[in-house]
Amino acid sequence: MDPLALTLIELGAVVFCLGLLARLAGRIGMSPIPLYLVGGLAFGAGGVVKLEGMQEFAHLSGEIGVILLLLMLGLEYTAAELFTGLRRSWQAGVLDLMLNFIPGAGLALLLGWGLVGAMVMGGVTYISSSGIAAKVITDLGRVGNRETPVVLSILVFEDLAMAVYLPILTATLAGVGFLGGLTTVGISLAVVTVVLMVALRHGHRVSQAVHSENSEVFLLNLLGAALLVAGVASALQVSAAVGAFMLGIAISGATAHSATRILEPLRDLFAAIFFVAFGLNTDPTTIPPVFGWALILAVITATTKMLTGIWAAKRAGIARPGRFRAGAALIARGEFSIVIAGLAVASGVVPDELAALATAYVLIMAILGPLAARYVEPALKAFGGSVRLPAKA
């Protein structure tokens, strides 16, 4: 069969199936991320049917998906909000980092994957899924709850930590050496600082540069700017994802709201292909040997995320039910964890088992997180006696 025809057939079938999976996820009230990963596992190396024609397209689309995910995440914040959130949440953020990075890093060392593997798995277990957390909070009607700003502040701290972590990880995976690594980190920190300063003082000018009343022109400006900035950032070894995130922060006000509305369908499409592409490159037969470790890691890090949320909410003077809701909202892992694992696997530096462990872990946590958030109040009521649970404690 003609290679182009094969690619189009496979791509069409995959995208159509993604729509069915997203519909199924919506009906059962869960994130579609686990289903996308399972779909990729079913049609990748070692799966039921191996897709050959769309591999190259899936790789490029996955890269664009990461860029759009991070761009949209940056659009949710302004530079002022980031600084305010950092001041409010740095202590909870440091606790979050220590409690959730160490289990993943420790398991990688235990399995003999070395310091690089430890650095990767620590990042996988540390970062919560902002997308899943935001969706859960919205779906459960908790946007106005007192604990929600605490949750968002911790998520902001994690996002900023990723802006530093990803360039360090990229340099480590590239094997640039200690001096080269220090140079890369220095460049990335300088770029992040400059962008934040520009966003804080001249964000309106960046917004004006990409804004247009014509939706077609606006979309082309946004997408072109995001890809350009991501490419330049990647050339500087700062990480394309961080470049897109910084651009999102620099765009503010009404322009950011319009950009979110216009980019959302495009982000959902390419992000879905990204998760499928990760699954395509993971052999499902490698998952059973590490599934037990993934389950143990899930139990440990679900507990540590709960402790983080409870401690942070308690410091903010929030009542007991709100503390547990805050902890449960942080449990889910998703897009960032797969981004980190994807970077590591693509470098060829880490063993294939790491991809399998990361996939199994994210599958478990992306399902467990929304369930924990939904049922934490009934569980607290059942085990905590006759506790009155105010709507906005």
Side-chain angles (χ1 to χ4, degrees), residues 225-297:
L227 295 176
L228 181 61
V229 169
V232 172
S234 183
L236 294 173
Q237 294 186 332
V238 174
S239 169
V242 172
F245 178 62
M246 291 292 112
L247 175 64
I249 292 171
I251 299 172
S252 59
T255 303
H257 292 295
S258 300
T260 300
R261 176 177 52 82
I262 289 176
L263 286 174
E264 192 169 17
L266 203 60
R267 177 207 59 185
D268 292 342
L269 170 62
F270 282 101
I273 294 176
F274 164 71
F275 292 118
V276 169
F278 186 82
L280 288 173
N281 294 321
T282 304
D283 188 343
T285 60
T286 61
I287 290 181
V290 296
F291 187 81
W293 288 116
L295 195 58
I296 292 171
L297 203 56

Side-chain angles (χ1 to χ4, degrees), residues 16-362:
F16 183 79
C17 290
L18 288 177
L20 297 179
L21 292 174
R23 179 182 297 180
L24 174 62
R27 288 191 175 180
I28 60 180
M30 65 175 284
S31 166
I33 291 175
L35 299 184
Y36 293 157
L37 288 171
V38 170
L41 290 171
F43 295 101
V48 179
V49 178
K50 187 174 181 179
L51 301 180
E52 299 283 0
M54 62 168 288
Q55 290 284 351
E56 187 174 342
F57 176 83
H59 175 72
L60 179 60
S61 299
E63 292 295 324
I64 296 174
V66 173
I67 290 169
L68 291 177
L69 278 168
L70 273 293
L71 174 64
M72 294 281 286
L73 188 61
L75 288 171
E76 295 179 11
Y77 307 114
T78 65
E81 288 171 342
L82 281 175
F83 283 120
T84 302
L86 187 60
R87 283 198 300 268
R88 290 178 179 174
S89 65
W90 72 269
Q91 291 175 309
V94 171
L95 178 67
D96 180 33
L97 175 61
M98 292 175 59
L99 289 180
N100 294 285
F101 191 94
I102 291 174
L107 179 60
L109 291 174
L110 180 65
L111 295 176
W113 293 346
L115 291 177
V116 176
M119 186 176 180
V120 173
M121 280 307 302
V124 168
T125 58
Y126 162 56
I127 186 77
S128 298
S129 170
S130 299
I132 296 176
K135 189 176 189 308
V136 165
I137 289 171
T138 302
D139 290 348
L140 297 179
R142 297 176 181 171
V143 174
N145 283 25
R146 285 190 60 207
E147 77 274 2
T148 298
V150 174
V151 173
L152 295 178
S153 294
I154 293 173
L155 294 176
V156 167
F157 186 95
E158 290 183 353
D159 295 337
L160 283 175
M162 284 295 105
V164 177
Y165 168 83
L166 285 177
I168 297 174
L169 177 65
T170 304
T172 303
L173 293 173
V176 296
F178 181 74
L179 185 59
L182 285 180
T183 303
T184 300
V185 172
I187 292 173
S188 66
L189 289 176
V191 170
V192 169
T193 302
V194 169
V195 171
L196 286 177
M197 290 296 103
V198 170
L200 192 61
R201 298 181 180 180
H202 306 288
H204 62 286
R205 294 184 180 177
V206 178
S207 301
Q208 288 172 358
V210 298
H211 185 75
S212 174
E213 295 300 328
N214 185 304
S215 59
E216 180 181 355
V217 174
F218 193 16
L219 175 60
L220 292 172
N221 286 344
L222 274 172
L223 187 58
L227 295 176
L228 181 61
V229 169
V232 172
S234 183
L236 294 173
Q237 294 186 332
V238 174
S239 169
V242 172
F245 178 62
M246 291 292 112
L247 175 64
I249 292 171
I251 299 172
S252 59
T255 303
H257 292 295
S258 300
T260 300
R261 176 177 52 82
I262 289 176
L263 286 174
E264 192 169 17
L266 203 60
R267 177 207 59 185
D268 292 342
L269 170 62
F270 282 101
I273 294 176
F274 164 71
F275 292 118
V276 169
F278 186 82
L280 288 173
N281 294 321
T282 304
D283 188 343
T285 60
T286 61
I287 290 181
V290 296
F291 187 81
W293 288 116
L295 195 58
I296 292 171
L297 203 56
V299 171
I300 293 172
T301 55
T303 303
T304 51
K305 281 290 182 183
M306 282 291 297
L307 292 174
T308 299
I310 290 171
W311 184 84
K314 183 178 180 180
R315 289 187 75 249
I318 294 169
R320 186 166 174 257
R323 297 173 198 169
F324 279 83
R325 289 197 298 264
L330 294 169
I331 287 176
R333 310 310 201 272
E335 59 276 10
F336 249 137
S337 297
I338 295 298
V339 167
I340 292 166
L343 288 173
V345 173
S347 71
V349 176
V350 299
D352 293 339
E353 290 84 359
L354 189 146
L357 178 60
T359 301
Y361 174 75
V362 171

